[in-house]
């Protein structure tokens, strides 16, 4: 009788283990200036988890999503990453800003956890990643600059084009790639300068551009500074075309620039909503009053990628999951996704967007 009871208890315990949740996490800026982007990641991953669980989970195991705010700060991100590992999360989707992404990546790599960023564009994030379990869906800064340079050459090649940067790693890398894109298309930049970020206004910089007959000003810098440059251009009644990078894809830019934001161009990630693989999921988001813009669909795809790798390998080890993803292509809401040897996704990266009075949309025909 005792043996039968013991066998029953063991069978019950094993059944409980088989039904244990697979814990994964979203770690992204859910407060502060980049909270809009973090909320997009949260919305995409949450829906993907719900859809997977509704379909039976992964081999009968349900997913449990833990959510943490990294505020786009390196120390906060590293702490959140350590907490995720301590509570048993085996996969992380998230991080928007490069510094906190790097800090968290070191933690993930040390513990062998798979992490996929839908948003970090800095080249070094994968060029110098701390381990093979660090992947990204976002296109690289050099791809962003190349796209911007090609667009400027095609659309404004007959105007005098100035490229300025704020001296940050992000700004310098982006500006160099824009210049390279222009030059590859046969257009020579009229000016290539740097500026000191954090000024109270940029009237002096704008006056230099106006006096030099600049027709297009590409600013490789962050939203707050570019907003002040936009305001300075508007205050002088200038018709200089202003363009920047993905750092302008924040509500803070629109709020700070006000009416001056209208007409500002920027490079930002491909609008997956218009791609056929995303049609059904995009419609489901909209039925719940969520517009799947920005990082919503890439975050959804990140969970799909984890689920495919987990199902195929049966492993929770980041190295095994990443190795499988590096040698296979997975059908996702973004279309077929694979990863190269650096951990960069094999996806089209950037499109051109234009700010309107209150938000930004893809530029038709770009």
């Amino acid at each position: 009788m005792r043996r039968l009871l013991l066998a029953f208890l063991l069978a019950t315990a094993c059944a409980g283990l088989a039904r244990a949740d697979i814990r994964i996490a979203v770690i992204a800026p859910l407060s502060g200036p980049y909270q809009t982007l973090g909320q997009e990641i949260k919305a995409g991953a949450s829906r993907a988890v719900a859809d997977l669980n509704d379909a039976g989970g992964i081999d009968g195991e349900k997913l449990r999503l833990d959510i943490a705010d990294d505020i786009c700060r390196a120390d906060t991100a590293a702490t959140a990453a350590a907490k995720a590992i301590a509570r048993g999360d085996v996969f992380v989707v998230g991080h928007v800003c490069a510094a906190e992404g790097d800090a968290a990546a070191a933690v993930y790599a040390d513990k062998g956890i798979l992490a996929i960023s839908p948003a970090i564009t800095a080249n070094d994030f994968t060029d110098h990643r701390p381990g093979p379990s660090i992947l990204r869906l976002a296109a690289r800064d050099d791809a962003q600059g190349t796209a911007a340079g090609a667009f400027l050459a095609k659309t404004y090649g007959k105007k005098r084009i100035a490229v300025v940067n704020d001296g940050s790693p992000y700004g310098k890398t982006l500006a160099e790639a824009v210049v390279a894109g222009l030059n590859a298309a046969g257009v020579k930049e009229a000016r290539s300068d740097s500026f000191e970020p954090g000024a109270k206004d940029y009237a002096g910089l704008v006056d230099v551009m106006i006096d030099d007959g600049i027709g297009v000003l590409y600013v490789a810098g962050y939203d707050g500074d570019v907003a002040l440059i936009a305001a300075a251009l508007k205050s002088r009644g200038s018709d200089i075309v202003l363009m920047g990078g993905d750092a302008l894809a924040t509500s803070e830019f629109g709020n700070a620039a006000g009416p001056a934001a209208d007409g500002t161009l920027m490079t930002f990630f491909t609008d997956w909503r218009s791609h056929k693989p995303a049609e059904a999921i995009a419609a489901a988001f909209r039925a719940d009053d969520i517009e799947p813009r920005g990082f919503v669909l890439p975050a959804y795809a990140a969970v799909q990628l984890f689920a495919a790798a987990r199902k195929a390998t049966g492993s929770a080890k980041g190295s095994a999951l990443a190795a499988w993803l590096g040698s296979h292509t997975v059908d996702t809401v973004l279309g077929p996704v694979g990863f190269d040897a650096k951990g960069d996704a094999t996806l089209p990266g950037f499109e051109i967007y234009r700010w309107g009075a209150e938000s930004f949309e893809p530029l038709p025909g770009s």
Side-chain angles (χ1 to χ4, degrees):
M1 183 69 177
R2 184 175 294 175
R3 290 180 179 177
L4 287 173
L5 178 60
L6 180 59
F8 173 77
L9 291 173
L10 286 172
T12 302
C14 290
L17 288 172
R19 292 192 298 271
D21 291 341
I22 301 172
R23 297 186 72 153
I24 68 174
V26 160
I27 305 179
L30 304 176
S31 61
Y34 296 97
Q35 63 181 290
T36 299
L37 307 182
Q39 294 292 348
E40 290 171 356
I41 292 173
K42 176 183 173 182
S46 297
R47 177 97 197 190
V49 167
D51 288 350
L52 277 166
N53 285 341
D54 287 346
I58 302 174
D59 291 334
E61 294 181 294
K62 297 298 181 72
L63 276 70
R64 176 176 173 179
L65 184 64
D66 298 310
I67 297 170
D69 182 7
D70 68 17
I71 329 174
C72 265
R73 283 176 42 181
D75 56 345
T76 308
T79 299
K83 288 181 177 179
I85 292 165
R87 65 176 170 253
D89 294 318
V90 297
F91 167 60
V92 176
V93 51
H95 303 297
V96 169
C97 301
E100 92 273 10
D102 287 342
V107 178
Y108 303 139
D110 181 58
K111 300 300 182 181
I113 300 298
L114 178 69
I116 300 178
S117 172
I120 295 175
T121 64
N123 295 342
D124 283 351
F125 185 69
T126 50
D127 283 354
H128 303 294
R129 61 179 175 162
S133 65
I134 309 303
L135 308 174
R136 67 162 151 205
L137 290 169
R140 300 160 54 91
D141 279 340
D142 48 13
Q144 176 175 195
T146 300
F151 167 79
L152 289 173
K154 178 181 176 181
T155 310
Y156 300 107
K158 294 183 179 180
K159 291 181 177 289
R160 288 176 58 78
I161 300 173
V163 180
V164 301
N165 76 84
D166 65 357
S168 70
Y170 166 80
K172 288 194 291 187
T173 300
L174 180 55
E176 289 169 0
V178 171
V179 169
L182 280 170
N183 297 167
V187 175
K188 173 68 176 173
E189 70 279 8
R191 301 183 65 97
S192 181
D193 302 321
S194 63
F195 67 91
E196 189 72 26
K200 293 183 178 180
D201 70 67
Y202 290 96
L205 184 152
V206 166
D207 287 342
V208 168
M209 299 300 156
I210 293 173
D211 291 345
D212 198 19
I214 295 301
V216 180
L217 174 60
Y218 187 97
V219 183
Y222 289 97
D223 50 358
D225 294 318
V226 184
L228 292 176
I229 292 171
L233 286 168
K234 185 174 179 63
S235 70
R236 279 154 174 71
S238 172
D239 60 358
I240 291 176
V241 175
L242 180 64
M243 186 172 183
D246 62 299
L248 306 192
T250 69
S251 57
E252 293 299 311
F253 173 74
N255 293 337
D262 193 3
T264 300
L265 301 174
M266 68 179 189
T267 37
F268 193 53
F269 303 108
T270 299
D271 186 2
W272 301 108
R273 295 173 295 178
S274 62
H275 291 232
K276 191 170 183 60
E279 287 179 353
I281 298 301
F285 274 109
R286 292 182 179 117
D288 290 337
D289 295 323
I290 298 174
E291 183 56 39
R293 62 168 54 88
F295 299 129
V296 173
L297 294 172
Y300 191 105
V303 177
Q304 288 181 304
L305 289 161
F306 164 75
R310 173 67 180 242
K311 185 174 180 63
T313 65
S315 176
K317 293 183 178 179
S319 56
L321 297 168
W324 187 87
L325 289 170
S327 59
H328 294 80
T329 298
V330 178
D331 288 330
T332 74
V333 292
L334 309 184
V337 176
F339 292 92
D340 65 18
K342 287 186 175 183
D344 292 321
T346 54
L347 285 169
F350 290 93
E351 295 178 340
I352 311 301
Y353 289 71
R354 179 170 56 199
W355 268 91
E358 298 180 349
S359 63
F360 54 88
E361 296 292 340
L363 185 68
S366 65

